[in-house]
Amino acid sequence: MDSVIAMRSFIRVVETGSFSAVAKEQNTNQATISKRIASLEKKLGTKLLVRGSRKHTLTETGKTYFERVTNIVMEIDEAEAEARSLTATPKGDLRITVPTMFGSMYVAPVISEFLATYPDINLDIKFDENMVDLVKEGIDVAIRLGDLQDSSMIAKKLGHDELIIVASPSYLAKHSIPETAEDLANHNCLIYSLSPKRGTVWVFSDNSETRAVEVTGNFQCDNGMGLKEMLLANAGVALMPKWLVDKELKSGQLVHILKGNYKRYPISVVFPNNRYVPLKVRCFIDFMQKMIKTDPVLSKV
């Protein structure tokens, strides 16, 4: 049995905690993955994993072995990737994850162009609003909106996510136009529930001074499109990414209110902290940077 293949299976079992998940990822069955780990243990003459019905635990020897083989396999991947990049076109499976709405509006429409440019890449996209563990899920690269928390990832900024407060003309005609942030207390604020503090605190900046205003309302959801539909139904005001409502602002269906210097958040691409970035990942990052650079909303500094 190829020791490197067995090492890869062992590493992924430790990272995911699941034999079946690794089997699916490596296009084989659970018995094969189990056999690879058992063969490693037999070759080494020691147990690496204590198998459980729900959880697998590394032995002390297994912990040391995991750290060493992870570095070894990484070195092999780096050497192979570097050699290929000198002579070959990017190829292989590329798994990415993007926020659902942003991915639908800015990634999905250009994927055919990306695949036409790099026909040897097989792309697998996961649309997800939640923060996906890239290593555990076997994801190569992610696009993330907002301040980044995970320092173990490498990040490159693609553009800016400008948040603005909007409402429909009909809603404002009935409820008046707020002139200050404090006036929002008299309005029905539509909440994006996945934001920090469940979206009930909106941050304003004025002359380098940042202040937070707590808002309330009778509707919240975890999807930007749901909020936009409520705005168009004259249901209230909302703090929205400008890229998500730019079309409605231009058509007059929505109005930008309380204009000022609101906090901008980065749009970033992140990937695991490996010393060598695979060519397929670099090509995707470069492609998205070029796409966003041409967008007047996302590229605005």
Side-chain angles (χ1 to χ4, degrees):
M1 179 181 294
D2 190 325
S3 294
V4 176
I5 293 177
M7 288 178 186
R8 291 185 190 278
S9 296
F10 170 69
I11 290 170
R12 292 300 292 149
V13 167
V14 174
E15 291 175 338
T16 64
S18 169
F19 280 78
S20 59
V22 177
K24 183 178 180 180
E25 181 180 291
Q26 299 183 1
N27 196 29
T28 185
N29 54 57
Q30 188 171 337
T32 298
I33 301 299
S34 182
K35 183 178 179 181
R36 289 174 184 173
I37 307 301
S39 296
L40 270 180
E41 292 176 326
K42 182 178 180 180
K43 181 178 179 180
L44 297 171
T46 185
K47 278 282 185 183
L48 299 174
L49 281 173
V50 178
R51 295 163 173 79
S53 58
R54 294 186 177 181
K55 185 178 180 180
H56 311 302
T57 306
L58 283 169
T59 64
E60 287 301 315
T61 302
K63 292 178 183 178
T64 302
Y65 184 74
F66 172 73
E67 293 176 0
R68 293 294 299 273
V69 297
T70 298
N71 290 329
I72 289 171
V73 171
M74 185 184 297
E75 292 283 355
I76 293 173
D77 289 343
E78 290 174 1
E80 291 179 349
E82 186 172 6
R84 285 195 299 267
S85 68
L86 295 175
T87 58
T89 57
K91 63 178 62 177
D93 297 334
L94 177 63
R95 301 190 68 205
I96 69 174
T97 179
V98 298
T100 304
M101 285 307 306
F102 184 86
S104 298
M105 292 180 64
Y106 286 96
V107 181
V110 298
I111 285 306
S112 60
E113 182 179 344
F114 175 77
L115 293 177
T117 305
Y118 304 107
D120 294 324
I121 289 180
N122 302 313
L123 191 61
D124 181 356
I125 303 181
K126 180 181 180 66
F127 292 93
D128 200 326
E129 294 295 338
N130 297 309
M131 199 69 70
V132 176
D133 186 322
L134 302 192
V135 175
K136 185 175 181 179
E137 298 294 332
I139 301 293
D140 296 297
V141 62
I143 292 178
R144 288 183 175 163
L145 310 180
D147 295 329
L148 300 176
Q149 306 296 327
D150 192 345
S151 60
S152 66
M153 297 286 127
I154 296 176
K156 290 188 176 182
K157 186 182 291 185
L158 295 177
H160 291 88
D161 186 7
E162 181 181 3
L163 299 181
I164 61 174
I165 297 178
V166 296
S168 71
S170 295
Y171 172 86
L172 295 174
K174 291 181 180 179
H175 299 87
S176 76
I177 300 175
E179 297 182 359
T180 68
E182 286 71 24
D183 289 343
L184 291 172
N186 302 317
H187 287 267
N188 189 43
C189 296
L190 311 176
I191 308 299
Y192 180 60
S193 59
L194 294 183
S195 292
K197 298 185 179 180
R198 296 190 62 80
T200 59
V201 175
W202 294 358
V203 178
F204 297 81
S205 296
D206 187 18
N207 297 324
S208 299
E209 180 182 347
T210 300
R211 56 199 175 104
V213 176
E214 189 165 353
V215 299
T216 60
N218 64 3
F219 178 81
Q220 61 176 300
C221 73
D222 61 357
N223 183 275
M225 184 59 74
L227 287 178
K228 184 163 73 170
E229 289 301 321
M230 289 293 285
L231 285 166
L232 295 173
N234 313 315
V237 301
L239 183 65
M240 300 287 285
K242 187 175 181 181
W243 54 263
L244 184 53
V245 295
D246 188 58
K247 179 180 177 181
E248 288 73 21
L249 289 173
K250 291 177 179 177
S251 68
Q253 292 175 282
L254 294 177
V255 178
H256 181 183
I257 58 177
L258 289 174
K259 295 183 178 180
N261 298 317
Y262 305 112
K263 184 175 180 180
R264 295 176 186 272
Y265 293 89
I267 300 172
S268 307
V269 59
V270 301
F271 48 95
N273 189 8
N274 297 329
R275 283 169 290 179
Y276 185 84
V277 182
L279 181 59
K280 60 186 179 181
V281 172
R282 283 185 280 148
C283 288
F284 178 76
I285 293 172
D286 291 343
F287 180 84
M288 288 310 303
Q289 284 179 322
K290 292 177 181 177
M291 292 295 103
I292 288 181
K293 188 176 181 181
T294 63
D295 187 277
V297 176
L298 302 181
S299 63
K300 185 179 179 181
V301 178

